[in-house]
Amino acid sequence: SLIAASVMSKKIAGGSKRLVIDLKVGNGAFISEIEQAEKLADLMLKIAEKTGLKCSVALTRMDEPLGWTVGNAIEVREAIETLKGKGEPKFVELCLNLAAEMICLGKQAKTLEEAKRMAQESLESRLALKVFSRWVEAQGGNGGIVADYSLFPEAKIKADFLAEMTGYVNYFDTKKIGLAVKSLGGGRDKKEDQIDHSVGVVFYKKEGDKVSKGEPILEIRANSYDKLDVADNLIKEAIFISPEPLEKKKEVVRKWLRN
């Protein structure tokens, strides 16, 4: 209940009238079980209803990285590539679903199907990209990053993580992958810690993909060989390969809850 109150109080204090929440569920999320997520979502919706806030909550999978990157600058770059029509399909699907829900809550469309078409059109016309650039500038940033990737910080070291056996990617422990990125400097242990925005992980393979022994599964981007070694050891514990193919989990949004 404290988590629900904390999340919702910030939105209410900010003056929100309509809200779409993407609540992650899985081994890389704060909540790993869907039943727990449903209880938290229900509390959020009850708080929203009492304050007159129209709200929807999407319970979405976080059992593997949704896109191709984990890190600060490289995730922003991937977001821009997505707005250019080059996004990872699951990530695009999630974005379109969340956008469609918000369009409907904002009464700009009568049905989710119509709203999703509107979101798709804004993506294909690059209107969404232009709005993103203006949004960056409104916050004091350089909107030119959408065209000039040299403005992003680059890590000095790029090292491939290789498969130790032939088989299929069975499972990602996304929490440990997150810890690996933090060990590179991509996150904080204390509030005063400085974040290295250039470091992170770029994936070549996703859950269910076939991989040969010695083939790269991902690339680690670092600025220190000592930190690279720590991250490499954490990633070894985070990726599981099986000899037999597995059925890929298809759903991105596992469940919607609305008030």
Side-chain angles (χ1 to χ4, degrees), residues 28-49:
F30 178 75
I31 296 176
S32 58
E33 300 298 330
I34 188 121
E35 293 80 10
Q36 293 175 302
E38 287 174 344
K39 289 178 182 178
L40 177 57
D42 186 57
L43 283 171
M44 289 175 169
L45 291 171
K46 285 177 179 176
I47 293 170
E49 190 171 3

Side-chain angles (χ1 to χ4, degrees), residues 58-228:
L59 308 184
T60 65
R61 283 190 66 229
M62 197 172 177
D63 295 318
E64 66 169 331
L66 194 57
W68 292 107
T69 61
V70 180
N72 293 282
I74 55 177
E75 283 191 40
V76 175
R77 182 168 170 168
E78 183 176 10
I80 293 169
E81 284 291 285
T82 300
L83 293 172
K84 291 179 178 179
K86 303 172 186 176
E88 202 280 341
K90 287 182 182 177
F91 182 53
V92 173
E93 179 189 345
L94 174 61
C95 292
L96 291 175
N97 275 288
L98 295 173
E101 187 75 11
M102 192 68 248
I103 290 168
C104 280
L105 283 185
K107 298 182 179 180
Q108 300 302 303
K110 293 181 179 179
T111 66
L112 280 171
E113 291 75 17
E114 180 189 355
K116 199 167 183 178
R117 283 196 299 272
M118 291 170 66
Q120 182 72 51
E121 286 169 7
S122 71
L123 194 62
E124 291 174 356
S125 68
R126 296 209 172 183
L127 173 61
L129 180 67
K130 292 175 184 175
V131 171
F132 175 82
S133 180
R134 293 203 301 268
W135 175 65
V136 171
E137 290 175 351
Q139 297 183 78
N142 186 343
I145 59 169
V146 300
D148 185 2
Y149 290 160
S150 70
L151 296 171
F152 284 100
E154 283 282 342
K156 297 174 184 175
I157 304 165
K158 296 180 181 180
D160 284 340
F161 180 87
L162 308 179
E164 295 182 343
M165 62 176 283
T166 295
Y168 298 82
V169 179
N170 179 347
Y171 174 77
F172 286 103
D173 186 328
T174 49
K175 185 174 182 179
K176 284 187 178 176
I177 290 168
L179 290 172
V181 173
K182 189 172 85 165
S183 75
L184 292 167
R188 292 189 181 100
D189 285 315
K190 304 183 296 295
K191 184 172 67 174
E192 58 271 20
D193 288 347
Q194 293 295 312
I195 291 178
D196 185 344
H197 295 95
S198 68
V199 300
V201 170
V202 179
F203 288 84
Y204 303 134
K205 299 290 184 180
K206 302 298 287 287
E207 193 178 83
D209 287 349
K210 187 175 182 179
V211 64
S212 299
K213 183 177 180 180
E215 185 179 3
I217 297 177
L218 56 83
E219 178 187 79
I220 305 172
R221 297 189 177 184
N223 284 312
S224 157
Y225 283 104
D226 288 341
K227 290 181 178 180
L228 174 64

